[in-house]
Structures are given as structure tokens and as C-alpha cells.
Amino acid sequence: GEWPYRHWNTHHPWGAHAQSALWFSIFGPGQFGTRSLMIFVALLQAAVIYGLSRPIAAGWRWLPCLLWLVLGIQDFPVLSYHWLAVFWFSLAALLAQHWLRAPSPRGAAACGACLAVAGTTLQSEALAGILLLTLLAAGWRLQHRHRAVQG
């Protein structure tokens, strides 16, 4: 079979089912459990977007979060494995930003773990994550090579 890569009936990766299982075991798989999980993931995503908006002027950092909460969710207002995958990928991007500012094995492991979870939720997020890390590594090497030449 295709296990552990995807669910046999839906062909969705297994990560979304595994991530939702704990939440649904506590709150139930009905309307409340589904909607509360969607709200929880949306709020977590808004917090990550706020963290990613660091380069924006302090007075405007709230704008990307507002756009996400008002427009992003309304574009596809159902709980989906896409929401979970985008959250984990965005969190990996935020952790990669921190990792570049203060390189450490722990930061690299946290970023890689988020990308692994994103990949088990939606395979295209894993590909995007590999591309992200490749570009970050190339940029980091160029930045340090430039410093070595100047120093």
C-alpha cells in the first residue's frame, strides 16, 4: 500500500489525520471540534504571520495578520489539510529567520522538524521547504563569504 505516505481512501497525506486526532479526541469530531480547530489554526497562523512581518514598519505589522484573518480564511473557509500544511511551513520560515540571525543546531532542528511535519501534511509543502532551506543556505553562505573577503 501507500502507507505511510497517504490515506488509502482520500489520498491525503497521513499527517493531517494524525495532527487532528488529538484535538478531535478531546473536542469531538462534530461541528464544535471542527470549527474550534479551524479557529485555533487560523489564530496560530496569524501569530506566525505577525512574526514574519518583522521587516514591516512597527505601526503596520498588524496589516498582514488582518488580511489573513479577513481575506485568507474567507477564501477557503473549511478545515483542510492545506491550513495545517501552510501553518507548519510558515512556522518553519519564521524559525529559519531566527536561525539565520542566531545560527544554532537547535534552531536548525526546529526548522527541519516543522518542514517534516508540513511534508507529512501536504507533500508540496515539503518541496517548498526544501527549496526554502536551499535558498537560505545559499544566501547564508554568500553572506559569510562576503564577510570573510571584507574581513
Side-chain angles (χ1 to χ4, degrees):
E2 295 293 326
W3 192 90
Y5 304 107
R6 63 184 187 173
H7 187 263
W8 288 302
N9 296 329
T10 63
H11 300 289
H12 295 163
W14 63 272
H17 300 288
Q19 293 171 47
S20 304
L22 176 62
W23 188 274
F24 289 144
S25 69
I26 296 170
F27 297 104
Q31 185 85 10
F32 177 76
T34 304
R35 295 294 177 198
S36 62
L37 179 57
M38 184 176 172
I39 290 169
F40 181 68
V41 171
L43 292 175
L44 286 176
Q45 181 68 32
V48 170
I49 289 171
Y50 186 78
L52 287 169
S53 68
R54 188 175 186 176
I56 298 175
W60 290 97
R61 284 185 70 188
W62 56 270
L63 185 60
C65 295
L66 179 67
L67 291 173
W68 163 254
L69 290 170
V70 174
L71 301 174
I73 294 172
Q74 296 305 318
D75 187 44
F76 192 61
V78 295
L79 181 62
S80 170
Y81 60 96
H82 291 277
W83 293 120
L84 295 167
V86 168
F87 165 72
W88 287 110
F89 179 80
S90 301
L91 184 58
L94 180 63
L95 291 171
Q97 275 186 352
H98 290 293
W99 177 42
L100 287 177
R101 276 189 236 112
S104 72
R106 190 181 228 172
C111 182
C114 286
L115 288 176
V117 174
T120 64
T121 308
L122 184 62
Q123 287 95 346
S124 61
E125 295 298 326
L127 175 61
I130 290 168
L131 294 173
L132 170 75
L133 288 182
T134 303
L135 291 173
L136 287 175
W140 185 79
R141 290 184 117 189
L142 289 173
Q143 181 182 20
H144 284 283
R145 188 171 290 167
H146 178 69
R147 285 183 190 164
V149 170
Q150 285 183 340

